[in-house]
């Protein structure tokens, strides 16, 4: 079934407006954020500790360690975005090496 959909790529896909596809992908991205653990931990930065949801890692790990891990993860994401979206070609070629350097941190 998926293989048959490849025949739809050249002709019928051209009739779908780009704005419709952009809206579809935006909807998929926003709905994918719910339940994302990193987003949940970022939201914890703006909550009082008494209002934290009762998830398993919040009960067992101190608040300071959760926030430090979130900060490190956000810093890694920022680094990957800066390197990946860089207009300089040599920065884009270094992207796999940046990923390898981030592995020991994780």
């Amino acid at each position: 079934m998926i293989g048959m959909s490849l025949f739809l790529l050249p002709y019928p896909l051209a009739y779908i407006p780009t704005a419709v596809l952009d809206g579809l992908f935006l909807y998929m991205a926003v709905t994918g954020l719910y339940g994302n653990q990193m987003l949940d931990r970022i939201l914890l930065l703006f909550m009082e500790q008494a209002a934290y949801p009762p998830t398993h890692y919040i009960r067992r790990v101190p608040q300071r360690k959760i926030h430090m891990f979130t900060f490190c993860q956000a810093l890694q994401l920022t680094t990957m975005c800066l390197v990946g979206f860089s207009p300089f070609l040599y920065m884009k070629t270094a992207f796999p090496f940046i990923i390898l350097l981030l592995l020991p941190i994780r």
Side-chain angles (χ1 to χ4, degrees):
M1 189 73 165
I2 294 173
M4 294 295 289
S5 68
L6 289 177
F7 294 116
L8 296 175
L9 286 178
Y11 301 110
L13 193 61
Y15 293 114
I16 300 173
T18 308
V20 171
L21 292 176
D22 290 344
L24 173 69
F25 293 134
L26 179 65
Y27 173 76
M28 289 173 49
V30 169
T31 56
L33 287 176
Y34 298 113
N36 185 343
Q37 196 179 64
M38 183 175 174
L39 181 67
D40 291 342
R41 283 187 278 112
I42 289 173
L43 292 177
L44 289 179
L45 291 170
F46 304 105
M47 282 187 200
E48 291 187 27
Q49 193 169 5
Y52 282 5
T55 54
H56 62 87
Y57 65 89
I58 292 176
R59 289 188 211 143
R60 296 180 183 165
V61 181
Q63 177 185 10
R64 185 178 182 97
K65 286 192 178 190
I66 292 173
H67 293 327
M68 284 303 296
F69 180 73
T70 304
F71 175 73
C72 288
Q73 205 171 21
L75 186 67
Q76 291 174 8
L77 179 64
T78 304
T79 303
M80 288 190 302
C81 287
L82 288 176
V83 171
F85 294 132
S86 174
F88 305 113
L89 184 60
Y90 64 89
M91 290 283 285
K92 289 182 180 181
T93 56
F95 187 76
F97 300 111
I98 301 294
I99 297 292
L100 285 175
L101 291 174
L102 293 176
L103 282 176
I105 297 171
R106 285 292 299 212

